[in-house]
Amino acid sequence: MARVWCRPFATCTAASTTAVATRRSLLCGGELWCRLSRLARRNGLACSAGPASCLTHLVVVHRTWRIGWARTFVLRRALKRLPYPDPERLLYLDHGSHTVPDFQMWRERAGSFERIVAVWPRQMDMLGEGAPTRVGVAGVTAGYFDVLGMRPFRGRLLQDADSHGPEQVVVLAYSFWMTRLGGEESIVGRSLLLDNASYQVVGIAPPGFRPPRRLSRMDVDMWRPEDLSLAELQIETRYMLSVFGRLREGARIETAQAEVDAVIAAMAERYPEQYESWHRVVPVITLHAAEISEAREPVLMLFGAVGLMLMIACANVANLFLARSTDREREIAVRSALGASRTRIAVQLLTESVSLALVGGFVGIAVAYAGVQALIQAAPSGTPRLHEIALDYRVLGFALGAAVLTGILFGLAPALYAARADAIRGLRDASSRTSPGRMRVKLKRALVVGEIAVALVLLVGAGLLFNSFVRLTMVEPGFDPQHVLAIELDLSSLFESDAERVQFMRDVVDRTRAVPGVQQTAAGWVIPFGGNGRCCWMTNAAAGEASDSTRVVVHAVSPGYFAALGVALVQGRDFDWQDDENEPAAAIVTRALAARLFQDQSALGRTFTIGRRSATALRVVGVVDDFKFWSLSRDEDLDMFLPFEGFGADIPFITLAVRAGGELEGLGGQLREAIWSVESRLPIPQVLSLDSQVSQSIAEPRLLSILLLAFAGFAILLAAGGIYGTMLYSVTQRTQELGIRLALGASSGRIVRHVLAGGMVVAGVGLVLGLAGSYAASQVLASQVFGISPHDLPTYVAVTLLLGFIALIACYIPARRITSLDPAMTLRDE
């Protein structure tokens, strides 16, 4: 039976491997993503690595299957470079995790790399330094710090001989040394007790060194050399390593990709059972791309939203300056008549516009600072490089530069127009209170049209994401997370044999179940929405020799597991402690897996096998309802469950699921005491609420929808302000005309309808253009929405009606002023 042991971020199913294949893309220059590199190469193009300082965009022209015209895809740099020397040459072998045989073969055959390094992150128990503490330890192979170009702060870093040396050594992270060990100067040369083994501290990493989070998915407190020559690690189905390396000077990423593919093909020939139903794909991408891969699309989306907001703001500024220039025609004419030169007039108007823009820029920076702090607080945990989010001098310079440029651009045209105006004609026109020129009116209306169109694009995007988030929150996970606590325990440092771990698990389940307020306790490798360095194993399952095998994810659990989680038992029974002694072994499958293996027949009592060369027979004793295990939006996995004693004790960690009868407050401390009554040396890092874990799983879509809704709200306010200002100015300029209409017998209602009609025509054109732009732009959201189409008609209709109603109100308020006009007073004033 072939087991595949993988970390939680490893791809655990064949279906998700397809998703990895769709992301088979090459990253150029460390920042630029060729999503279509394979298709580009097929059409005679190449995607080569560019210099790290590349700030231009990469253009990939490809032929589509159905149409013969070319498209250009442009992805600009969204996040800054990694803080390592020559980061564009740092490549990551994407897939989640790899085996030791894979890594060793890549190290031997991949000549395009200067050096390839593997990382095996884990958590270890540190004893003897106060209370027992769980620390994050990254086991690394030789050359790790050399590849990242790091130098020690104290002592030395790891050397090639350390993995086979007589003593076990570690290098401490600077932050861990300062916070946990108090910055003790004599720490180098001292020994720390990790998992009951002594490790000598040989050095401290520099203060600014932060390891790539993609390699560990946890905060690293220290590094230790990893000896991968151990026999127990030479298993072709044990996926545990993150692999990255430094490309040779002048080598191409395409060559590295070909070498990696060749190794995968060789491994498929060597281990046909493992690869028979799983076409493994390992894209070679830059480490920078791996670091930001999960955040790249949201960041680019927010960057686009900010750009649209800037367009709306600029349109409002342009409208404001156009109105000011018209209102000040008489003033400018008087200044000119009194001898002011055209240059002086233009400089004065530009100075006023730039001053206003600078004031607005400084206010915006203050608001931005508060917004950044709020964003950091609201961002989900695990957001890549979250600690680096800040307002630096480049951001400040861009903000002030954009403000000054806006003031210059939109103040220059009115200034030049006013400077060229004839003083005598200006005095004559101003005294007659004529309406503004036709070109100005058309320009103002065009700006309002643009504002409405851009606001609608933002509003549609926000509506789609919010609708998607609402649907995501309405997804039933298939279990009841309320009143359930999860406790993750690492037994690797305390128990060596399977029998000891099984006995400990039984004792802990019994002790915690006896805690007052606890209804049920069970254990397994991992529970839904958990993980933290742990996962499962996967294999092939078949209901008969003639049937096709099915890729399944296997979970080892104890009796009571489904009752503790609130998963419905559809048929049969739960496990009991004697199931490990039965032949064939007992198994519980989900409803989806039962349907896949046995079609329309009852699964209860049926037998099937898992594995191929060493197939193991199993008998179905129960069928449970389908439930989400990894996320609310993922449901392609086929899960099965086996008794922990027979199939799970060889992995030295368990997760307890504890269901309480009431409130969880204060229960965590009692559970810790119950566990310590079984084994007092066992660190218990945290007791988590399963409900909070489910909520945390949708933190990113929640944050993204809130941010876009905020942007859309500001866009609506700006667009409404632009419409209101334009209509108010139009009504003010037409006061004499409208007064004459009223004097000639036109009713107030008719005048209001006349003004409203003109304003709504402008708004209608903007809405039509906005719908067209939204339809095109919504394709960007295709990978971000859940449960709806990016062209969801109800969302389009709802946001269009909303923005149309707001435009109607913005037009109605100025139009309503007409009803308060006294025709006689209006004509006399004019």
Side-chain angles (χ1 to χ4, degrees):
M1 175 172 52
R3 293 192 182 189
V4 177
W5 176 27
C6 43
R7 300 199 301 276
F9 57 92
T11 308
C12 293
T13 64
S16 57
T17 304
T18 305
V20 174
T22 63
R23 295 189 293 114
R24 185 186 180 92
S25 54
L26 301 180
L27 275 291
C28 301
E31 287 83 21
L32 305 174
W33 194 354
C34 285
R35 290 180 178 273
L36 302 168
S37 57
R38 181 187 292 177
L39 187 57
R41 292 198 303 270
R42 187 181 302 162
N43 288 276
L45 301 174
C47 180
S48 58
S53 60
C54 175
L55 296 181
T56 59
H57 60 268
L58 174 67
V59 179
V60 178
V61 180
H62 72 282
R63 299 181 182 91
T64 60
W65 288 99
R66 297 183 179 178
I67 49 182
W69 50 277
R71 295 178 182 175
T72 302
F73 286 82
V74 179
L75 284 174
R76 296 185 181 273
R77 180 167 127 168
L79 295 176
K80 61 184 179 181
R81 299 168 55 190
L82 295 176
Y84 314 118
D86 298 329
E88 72 280 358
R89 291 168 52 201
L90 292 175
L91 302 183
Y92 175 73
L93 276 61
D94 196 9
H95 183 264
S97 56
H98 308 278
T99 67
V100 171
D102 284 344
F103 167 70
Q104 292 174 334
M105 191 173 292
W106 281 324
R107 189 169 53 183
E108 294 172 2
R109 300 188 181 184
S112 298
F113 291 89
E114 283 185 0
R115 202 160 194 176
I116 296 182
V117 181
V119 181
W120 184 11
R122 73 197 75 180
Q123 291 185 329
M124 301 178 72
D125 301 333
M126 186 175 73
L127 306 175
E129 301 291 334
T133 305
R134 182 69 55 83
V135 295
V137 180
V140 298
T141 59
Y144 173 84
F145 291 102
D146 293 336
V147 169
L148 294 178
M150 292 296 107
R151 296 294 178 264
F153 178 73
R154 293 280 191 277
R156 66 172 178 86
L157 300 178
L158 300 179
Q159 300 174 351
D160 293 359
D162 286 333
S163 60
H164 301 89
E167 293 183 344
Q168 299 187 89
V169 299
V170 292
V171 170
L172 303 181
Y174 180 86
S175 59
F176 178 78
W177 172 56
M178 292 297 294
T179 58
R180 185 64 179 85
L181 301 176
E184 184 181 342
E185 292 291 340
S186 61
I187 190 65
V188 176
R190 274 187 50 194
S191 294
L192 299 177
L193 195 62
L194 302 174
D195 283 357
N196 288 327
S198 178
Y199 287 79
Q200 183 183 19
V201 178
V202 297
I204 301 172
F209 176 65
R210 294 184 177 92
R213 190 170 180 84
R214 184 58 179 255
L215 302 177
S216 58
R217 290 297 178 96
M218 67 178 184
D219 294 328
V220 178
D221 299 316
M222 59 189 72
W223 295 265
R224 52 161 280 184
E226 199 65 61
D227 183 9
L228 299 182
S229 62
L230 301 177
E232 58 266 26
L233 301 182
Q234 306 298 317
I235 303 174
E236 72 277 6
T237 57
R238 192 173 186 180
Y239 290 83
M240 60 186 188
L241 300 180
S242 295
V243 179
F244 76 109
R246 180 172 288 276
L247 197 65
R248 291 187 183 277
E249 189 74 39
R252 298 169 63 88
I253 194 171
E254 294 91 343
T255 307
Q257 180 70 69
E259 293 170 348
V260 170
D261 290 344
V263 170
I264 294 298
M267 296 298 290
E269 293 180 1
R270 180 179 298 183
Y271 305 108
E273 178 183 0
Q274 174 62 23
Y275 287 84
E276 183 174 352
S277 62
W278 182 23
H279 178 66
R280 189 164 177 237
V281 178
V282 180
V284 178
I285 62 177
T286 61
L287 187 59
H288 178 272
E291 284 284 277
I292 67 172
S293 60
E294 296 177 358
R296 188 182 188 91
E297 288 190 6
V299 166
L300 290 177
M301 191 184 308
L302 294 177
F303 188 77
V306 170
L308 295 178
M309 289 279 292
L310 183 60
M311 291 173 59
I312 298 176
C314 288
N316 267 343
V317 171
N319 260 331
L320 171 65
F321 285 154
L322 282 173
R324 287 179 68 246
S325 67
T326 302
D327 288 340
R328 298 180 66 183
E329 282 184 354
R330 181 181 180 87
E331 174 196 342
I332 300 301
V334 171
R335 288 177 180 271
S336 180
L338 293 177
S341 65
R342 294 182 177 181
T343 303
R344 181 165 186 148
I345 293 174
V347 169
Q348 176 192 342
L349 294 177
L350 271 179
T351 301
E352 293 176 359
S353 62
V354 172
S355 299
L356 288 173
L358 279 174
V359 171
F362 282 115
V363 173
I365 288 174
V367 174
Y369 179 80
V372 167
Q373 301 307 311
L375 174 63
I376 294 175
Q377 296 297 323
S381 61
T383 300
R385 306 177 75 177
L386 182 64
H387 59 277
E388 298 181 26
I389 298 177
L391 289 180
D392 59 15
Y393 67 93
R394 287 164 292 191
V395 175
L396 297 177
F398 172 80
L400 291 177
V404 172
L405 185 61
T406 302
I408 292 175
L409 288 179
F410 296 104
L412 186 61
L416 292 177
Y417 176 83
R420 291 199 305 266
D422 181 73
I424 297 177
R425 190 180 62 183
L427 289 171
R428 183 179 63 249
D429 291 344
S431 63
S432 62
R433 302 294 300 270
T434 57
S435 297
R438 182 174 299 179
M439 287 302 298
R440 289 196 182 190
V441 173
K442 289 184 177 180
L443 179 58
K444 291 175 67 64
R445 289 178 177 176
L447 290 173
V448 172
V449 167
E451 286 186 64
I452 295 175
V454 172
L456 185 60
V457 172
L458 267 178
L459 194 57
V460 167
L464 288 172
L465 285 179
F466 182 74
N467 196 348
S468 171
F469 172 71
V470 170
R471 291 172 183 262
L472 196 60
T473 58
M474 295 175 63
V475 171
E476 290 294 335
F479 60 91
D480 182 13
Q482 299 290 331
H483 307 297
V484 177
L485 293 175
I487 307 174
E488 298 174 346
L489 304 175
D490 189 342
L491 313 180
S492 56
S493 63
L494 300 175
F495 307 107
E496 296 183 357
S497 68
D498 294 357
E500 289 178 323
R501 284 190 283 269
V502 169
Q503 187 59 50
F504 170 80
M505 186 265 293
R506 284 195 176 197
D507 293 341
V508 164
V509 168
D510 291 340
R511 294 288 180 88
T512 54
R513 192 177 293 169
V515 171
V518 173
Q519 290 183 341
Q520 182 63 273
T521 300
W525 277 345
V526 66
I527 65 174
F529 295 84
N532 193 23
R534 312 160 178 183
C535 182
C536 50
W537 54 281
M538 60 185 179
T539 186
N540 297 303
E545 296 182 0
S547 62
D548 295 332
S549 63
T550 299
R551 200 73 170 175
V552 295
V553 181
V554 182
H555 308 274
V557 302
S558 74
Y561 182 83
F562 304 105
L565 295 178
V567 178
L569 188 66
V570 178
Q571 287 181 300
R573 61 172 177 84
D574 196 354
F575 291 125
D576 57 44
W577 294 112
Q578 286 72 41
D579 276 326
D580 185 48
E581 304 172 0
N582 298 331
E583 286 292 340
I588 295 177
V589 299
T590 59
R591 192 197 299 264
L593 180 57
R596 178 71 64 87
L597 291 176
F598 308 110
Q599 286 76 42
D600 297 332
Q601 303 177 18
S602 174
L604 199 61
R606 302 286 299 273
T607 60
F608 65 99
T609 59
I610 57 175
R612 290 191 177 275
R613 295 181 181 178
S614 56
T616 300
L618 301 172
R619 181 172 56 88
V620 179
V621 299
V623 178
V624 295
D625 209 355
D626 297 325
F627 63 99
K628 308 288 185 180
F629 211 96
W630 307 114
S631 72
L632 293 175
S633 59
R634 175 178 171 180
D635 56 3
E636 70 270 19
D637 292 342
L638 297 173
D639 297 297
M640 63 176 295
F641 303 87
L642 298 177
F644 185 89
E645 293 188 54
F647 296 89
D650 56 337
I651 303 301
F653 52 70
I654 63 174
T655 300
L656 295 179
V658 181
R659 175 169 292 279
E663 295 299 324
L664 301 178
E665 185 177 359
L667 187 59
Q670 300 180 55
L671 293 174
R672 290 174 186 266
E673 294 297 330
I675 296 172
W676 282 332
S677 68
V678 180
E679 177 51 70
S680 59
R681 299 171 296 169
L682 185 64
I684 304 175
Q686 54 188 347
V687 179
L688 302 173
S689 165
L690 185 56
D691 191 38
S692 66
Q693 291 291 93
V694 175
S695 177
Q696 181 65 24
S697 71
I698 58 174
E700 182 177 328
R702 181 195 300 118
L703 176 62
L704 192 58
S705 63
I706 290 174
L707 288 176
L708 273 190
L709 279 175
F711 283 135
F714 282 117
I716 289 175
L717 292 177
L718 289 174
I723 299 171
Y724 173 79
T726 300
M727 293 303 300
L728 180 62
Y729 180 76
S730 175
V731 169
T732 303
Q733 292 294 323
R734 297 175 62 188
T735 301
Q736 183 180 18
E737 172 201 340
L738 298 176
I740 293 174
R741 289 175 180 266
L742 288 171
L744 294 177
S747 64
S748 298
R750 184 171 182 178
I751 296 296
V752 170
R753 289 192 297 271
H754 173 73
V755 176
L756 277 179
M760 291 308 295
V761 166
V762 174
V765 174
L767 291 175
V768 171
L769 294 178
L771 283 174
S774 300
Y775 187 87
S778 59
Q779 286 298 118
V780 180
L781 298 175
S783 61
Q784 300 291 331
V785 297
F786 168 80
I788 61 172
S789 165
H791 305 308
D792 184 58
L793 182 60
T795 301
Y796 278 70
V797 172
V799 298
T800 302
L801 292 177
L802 174 61
L803 190 55
F805 177 74
I806 293 173
L808 178 64
I809 298 299
C811 292
Y812 176 77
I813 295 175
R816 189 78 178 102
R817 295 184 58 184
I818 304 301
T819 60
S820 62
L821 290 178
D822 183 353
M825 292 294 294
T826 300
L827 295 176
R828 183 170 63 250
D829 292 341
E830 297 297 333

